[in-house]
Amino acid sequence: MKNYIQFSKEVEKAKQEDKAIVALESTIISHGMPYPQNVEMAKKVEQIVRDNGGVPATIAIINGEIKIGLNDEELELLASAEDVAKVSRRDIAEILATKKIGATTVASTMICAQLADIKFFVTGGIGGVHKGAEHTMDISADLDELSKTKVAVICAGAKSILDLDKTLEYLETKGVPVVGYQTDELPAFFTRESGLKLNTRIDDVKTIAQLAEVQWDLGLDSGIVIANPVPEEDQLDSIFINGIIDKAVAKAEKEGVHGKDSTPFLLGEIVKQSDGKSLETNIKLVEHNAKIGTQIAVEYSNLSK
């Protein structure tokens, strides 16, 4: 395993000092946002993790190595290169073997975080069951990964381009706890509310850390979704954004866009149709997730001291 994993100096030092480390994905940089907002967001999110007492570990595959923590040059490469592969579970071995540049999705970031013994991961939103999945079987590998990989994912729910009702049902079937942080319902990414009630609400980060400790102490080796709504002042009007999403989904169907190309295509369309408002909200919710996720990771780290 040591042949494939390369820790940054900052992360290596944090591991030696038993500090709270927070994993960050790289697909949001390469495929989720345009340049240069993507690299600016990545650096700011890393700083938010540091400001809240944690150490950021942005994960990517570069030159045949799983990088746990990136330097500025590597962040810039991921943000601006045109040939960055989108890496999920099925792609990890191929991208390592061929020494291509790969940006990790939620699923592959979870895998790499677990290999590096990092238990908390901050992202924007998880993947899920796509609209029309009863015909296409288009279901994100993120959901299956959550059922078997011991990493807590702090997110603003699932991306609202998805069928949120079916996504929540899938997670329930797989036995994945979905914890609402200061909310009774699943956030809908760009908006705070989806109308879908959650089984669990917890209002403080210490209790969420304790839940994670008990879950994994019991040998229940699934992930945990910690659903953290976008701040109220940053959310979009639900009628406005849902109308744009419906148009984007219809365009994707018409143009035959599917599989791993769906999410980048849809998010790009939504940015265009919303005159950039969706991108602004996306950045704000990632920043908020970084703050809350780091606070949970720090509390969890303190439990074992």
Side-chain angles (χ1 to χ4, degrees):
M1 196 61 65
K2 289 178 182 176
N3 294 333
Y4 299 112
I5 294 180
Q6 178 68 50
F7 294 102
S8 69
K9 290 179 181 177
E10 184 182 19
V11 173
E12 185 71 61
K13 186 181 178 197
K15 289 183 79 66
Q16 291 168 359
E17 296 174 356
D18 202 24
K19 288 186 176 178
I21 303 171
V22 177
L24 302 166
E25 64 157 294
S26 48
T27 288
I28 194 171
I29 303 170
S30 298
H31 303 100
M33 293 182 187
Y35 183 85
Q37 290 98 325
N38 52 3
V39 71
E40 291 166 0
M41 176 277 306
K43 290 178 180 179
K44 187 169 182 182
V45 167
E46 287 196 340
Q47 192 56 49
I48 290 169
V49 172
R50 295 185 187 102
D51 291 345
N52 283 274
V55 174
T58 303
I59 294 174
I61 298 175
I62 300 174
N63 294 330
E65 292 180 323
I66 298 169
K67 299 278 189 176
I68 309 292
L70 303 179
N71 59 35
D72 285 351
E73 186 180 317
E74 289 164 339
L75 282 174
E76 187 72 29
L77 176 67
L78 282 163
S80 58
E82 294 182 0
D83 57 347
V84 180
K86 185 178 178 183
V87 180
S88 193
R89 170 179 275 267
R90 70 174 182 185
D91 312 300
I92 294 173
E94 176 201 345
I95 301 305
L96 282 170
T98 57
K99 293 183 168 53
K100 293 178 183 175
I101 305 170
T104 54
T105 63
V106 169
S108 55
T109 303
M110 288 181 72
I111 293 167
C112 296
Q114 181 167 264
L115 291 173
D117 195 28
I118 299 171
K119 292 184 169 62
F120 293 89
F121 162 38
V122 163
T123 186
I126 60 170
V129 179
H130 281 261
K131 294 178 180 180
E134 61 271 27
H135 304 297
T136 64
M137 293 299 291
D138 193 352
I139 300 171
S140 171
D142 297 355
L143 299 186
D144 205 45
E145 207 58 55
L146 278 158
S147 72
K148 60 192 175 189
T149 304
K150 201 167 65 173
V151 174
V153 182
I154 299 88
C155 58
K159 297 179 179 74
S160 48
I161 56 176
L162 304 166
D163 188 322
L164 298 184
D165 199 350
K166 288 187 176 68
T167 297
L168 198 55
E169 286 290 342
Y170 192 106
L171 289 168
E172 182 180 348
T173 299
K174 291 289 189 176
V176 177
V178 181
V179 179
Y181 177 65
Q182 299 182 353
T183 183
D184 292 308
E185 58 184 88
L186 183 72
F189 198 70
F190 295 117
T191 60
R192 293 175 61 83
E193 299 167 346
S194 66
L196 299 171
K197 190 164 176 18
L198 295 175
N199 187 61
T200 304
R201 171 181 175 145
I202 297 178
D203 289 344
D204 64 283
V205 293
K206 185 174 182 179
T207 305
I208 294 179
Q210 290 169 333
L211 180 151
E213 181 184 51
V214 173
Q215 163 101 357
W216 297 327
D217 279 352
L218 291 172
L220 301 170
D221 290 342
S222 67
I224 302 168
V225 175
I226 299 162
N228 178 42
V230 60
E232 197 164 349
E233 64 270 22
D234 297 314
Q235 71 172 332
L236 296 177
D237 177 78
S238 60
I239 295 173
F240 166 75
I241 194 62
N242 288 337
I244 288 172
I245 289 169
D246 288 344
K247 288 178 185 175
V249 170
K251 185 173 180 180
E253 288 175 359
K254 184 178 179 182
E255 296 187 11
V257 179
H258 54 82
K260 68 179 182 180
D261 297 324
S262 294
T263 298
F265 176 87
L266 292 170
L267 291 177
E269 280 297 310
I270 292 164
V271 169
K272 261 192 277 183
Q273 297 301 322
S274 69
D275 294 324
K277 291 186 179 69
S278 67
L279 179 59
E280 292 171 18
T281 296
N282 197 345
I283 291 169
K284 290 295 184 183
L285 67 85
V286 174
E287 292 173 358
H288 187 51
N289 290 341
K291 176 183 175 183
I292 301 304
T294 305
Q295 290 174 359
I296 296 167
V298 168
E299 288 290 347
Y300 182 88
S301 180
N302 290 339
L303 290 173
S304 59
K305 290 179 180 176

